[in-house]
């Protein structure tokens, strides 16, 4: 009898645990992807982040089994706080294609 109660209790606990797992909404995924890409662009090794700023405007994504396949619309412009002689004015919007892991920690640029 005690074994049946223990099995029943375990089943109820597992059922409650499974019900508390929440799938993120579309807006939450977009926000997390945008934040991950913004962090990636600010921490890239190939550029001096004090001279050029990147702003992620929007994201379109597809959820794959292991990662999100994303297209970001990114605005690149000069840092208004830095005034450098003979530096051309940069103000452009472009598209960046990336893969971002499901935990939003790893960003891999495709182009």
């Amino acid at each position: 009898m005690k074994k049946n109660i223990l099995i029943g209790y375990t089943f109820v606990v597992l059922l409650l645990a499974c019900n508390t797992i929440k799938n993120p909404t579309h807006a939450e995924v977009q926000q997390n992807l945008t934040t991950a890409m913004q962090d990636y662009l600010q921490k890239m090794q190939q550029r001096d982040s004090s001279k050029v700023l990147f702003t992620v405007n929007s994201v379109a994504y597809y959820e794959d089994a292991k990662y999100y396949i994303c297209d970001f619309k990114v605005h690149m412009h000069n840092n208004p706080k830095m005034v450098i002689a003979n530096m051309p004015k940069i103000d452009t919007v472009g598209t960046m294609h990336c893969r971002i892991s499901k935990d939003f920690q790893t960003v891999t640029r495709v182009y």
Side-chain angles (χ1 to χ4, degrees):
M1 182 70 177
K2 289 182 181 182
K3 187 176 184 181
N4 290 340
I5 293 173
L6 181 61
I7 291 173
Y9 179 72
T10 305
F11 177 73
V12 170
V13 168
L14 287 174
L15 184 64
L16 290 174
C18 290
N19 283 339
T20 59
I21 296 173
K22 180 184 164 200
N23 289 333
T25 64
H26 179 70
E28 290 172 338
V29 171
Q30 279 188 326
Q31 180 61 39
N32 289 336
L33 291 171
T34 301
T35 303
M37 185 62 174
Q38 189 73 44
D39 291 344
Y40 171 77
L41 290 172
Q42 295 302 327
K43 296 175 184 172
M44 276 182 12
Q45 297 290 328
Q46 296 92 350
R47 67 176 191 85
D48 183 0
S49 61
S50 65
K51 295 178 184 174
V52 178
L53 298 177
F54 291 97
T55 306
V56 178
N57 292 339
S58 64
V59 59
Y61 70 92
Y62 170 77
E63 185 174 355
D64 198 33
K66 295 182 180 179
Y67 46 80
Y68 293 99
I69 301 169
C70 308
D71 282 326
F72 291 95
K73 191 160 297 260
V74 179
H75 180 210
M76 182 178 77
H77 53 94
N78 292 81
N79 187 346
K81 296 177 184 175
M82 296 284 298
V83 178
I84 300 172
N86 300 326
M87 184 172 176
K89 180 158 175 56
I90 300 170
D91 190 7
T92 187
V93 176
T95 302
M96 293 184 178
H97 187 75
C98 299
R99 289 188 309 236
I100 299 180
S101 63
K102 293 283 189 149
D103 63 354
F104 306 105
Q105 299 298 316
T106 305
V107 176
T108 306
R109 286 267 318 265
V110 178
Y111 65 84

